[in-house]
Amino acid sequence: MDGLYALKPWFADRLASVRRALVARGVSPSVLTWGGVAFGGAAGAVVAAVPPGPLCAGAVAALLVARLACANLDGGVARESGRSTRAGAVDNEVGDRAAEFAVLAGCLAAYPAAPVLGAALAATLPSWVSLAGAAAGAPRLQGGPSGKTERCAQFVLLALTGFTALVFPLMIAGSLVTAAVRLVRVRRALRALDTADPADAATAGGRR
């Protein structure tokens, strides 16, 4: 059920030498977080300016791989350099959403508004569920079946084909399914915590 997120350890290994170089040079994790937003914006600009086809798809793919690399590196650099902070965790979440919205802004310039805005709304739901669960004490859930990595692949498909009737419904349906799957997993994790510590559950004051 983790989808392409299961490749994250492999991807992190490929970036290990880059991560070490960034730590050695004292690069701030925030630079990487907002660099990912910039790459997302550049991908959106390509979608808006370049007709669908191999050139558009290749450029969007390269920019979104760079965006995912930044999303991987910011946390790794923060941990390895001892610069992990709560504020940095918030920046990471905001940066992820901003990078995706930046791509969608480019789509909005090139394609009908309704499916793009529907995809923008649906794409936020998995994160909302995960963050609500984390706020209640569950682990922060990531991955699929259709998380941000799959959505990047869908943007590349859009850049290649321009098939809005396929890509945006796929993005919306995948995001809704992912949100539902995460909700089930969050509730299961929270029930386990409630069973382990009933006093904590009573203090939390949530509905049973």
Side-chain angles (χ1 to χ4, degrees):
M1 276 297 191
D2 280 341
L4 294 175
Y5 186 76
L7 296 174
K8 183 178 180 180
W10 174 86
F11 193 40
D13 285 346
R14 306 285 80 74
L15 295 171
S17 60
V18 177
R19 186 171 60 250
R20 287 193 292 268
L22 292 170
V23 171
R25 286 164 176 74
V27 174
S28 167
S30 294
V31 170
L32 297 167
T33 298
W34 299 111
V37 177
F39 282 122
V46 171
V47 170
V50 181
L55 177 62
C56 184
V60 169
L63 290 165
L64 292 182
V65 167
R67 180 247 154 152
L68 292 173
C70 287
N72 188 293
L73 286 166
D74 59 0
V77 167
R79 287 187 293 273
E80 289 192 19
S81 61
R83 300 167 79 175
S84 296
T85 64
R86 291 180 175 86
V90 173
D91 286 347
N92 180 67
E93 295 292 344
V94 172
D96 265 351
R97 300 287 67 74
E100 194 156 67
F101 284 150
V103 186
L104 286 161
C107 295
L108 194 60
Y111 297 108
V116 177
L117 295 175
L121 176 59
T124 64
L125 297 178
S127 291
W128 290 356
V129 172
S130 295
L131 291 171
R140 171 67 168 91
L141 297 180
Q142 304 277 3
S146 186
K148 69 182 177 185
T149 309
E150 287 80 9
R151 290 193 295 274
C152 285
Q154 290 157 7
F155 286 128
V156 174
L157 178 61
L158 178 69
L160 178 64
T161 66
F163 290 166
T164 57
L166 168 65
V167 174
F168 291 123
L170 182 63
M171 194 175 293
I172 292 168
S175 297
L176 293 175
V177 170
T178 300
V181 169
R182 289 189 186 181
L183 182 59
V184 170
R185 292 172 63 189
V186 162
R187 290 179 66 84
R188 188 180 299 137
L190 293 176
R191 285 195 192 99
L193 291 172
D194 290 346
T195 301
D197 194 344
D200 236 18
T203 303
R207 292 187 303 170
R208 300 273 179 155

